[in-house]
Amino acid sequence: SIHQNLPNADAGGWDDNIDDDDDGEKANVIRGWIRSVLRKIIHYQAEHQRILDEAADTLKVGLPRDIVIVVKNILPFLELPTHTFG
């Protein structure tokens, strides 16, 4: 957890004896935490899409005459906005 690792991590700093690439342990902990959060977001977006597709299939079977209405007016409200993390 970031709350456990961050308080004790070295913040790094600027010193003539330190390479430019030394961001400090805190920066590395934060980067690791951000990567972990982004992986979770991507996972949950995929899970949401899978459930949405399953629900759409169920609606197609249950409401075959109304599927155009469902696809145009209901499903767009259930979709997550698209974001890219890179």
Side-chain angles (χ1 to χ4, degrees):
S1 160
I2 194 167
H3 296 292
Q4 294 168 340
N5 295 330
L6 193 57
N8 299 323
D10 177 28
W14 184 258
D15 188 345
D16 290 336
N17 297 328
I18 298 176
D19 293 334
D20 290 342
D21 294 335
D22 182 26
D23 291 334
E25 192 178 343
K26 283 190 181 192
N28 290 330
V29 168
I30 292 169
R31 281 189 195 101
W33 176 76
I34 290 171
R35 279 192 293 273
S36 139
V37 169
L38 291 177
R39 278 192 301 271
K40 289 177 185 175
I41 289 171
I42 291 167
H43 168 78
Y44 290 124
Q45 283 178 328
E47 183 69 11
H48 176 84
Q49 188 61 49
R50 185 190 66 74
I51 292 169
L52 185 61
D53 292 343
E54 185 179 311
D57 290 342
T58 302
L59 287 171
K60 286 176 188 175
V61 172
L63 303 170
R65 292 178 299 178
D66 300 323
I67 195 60
V68 173
I69 294 169
V70 170
V71 169
K72 286 184 176 181
N73 298 309
I74 296 173
L75 293 181
F77 289 103
L78 300 175
E79 291 181 4
L80 293 174
T82 56
H83 295 287
T84 56
F85 302 103

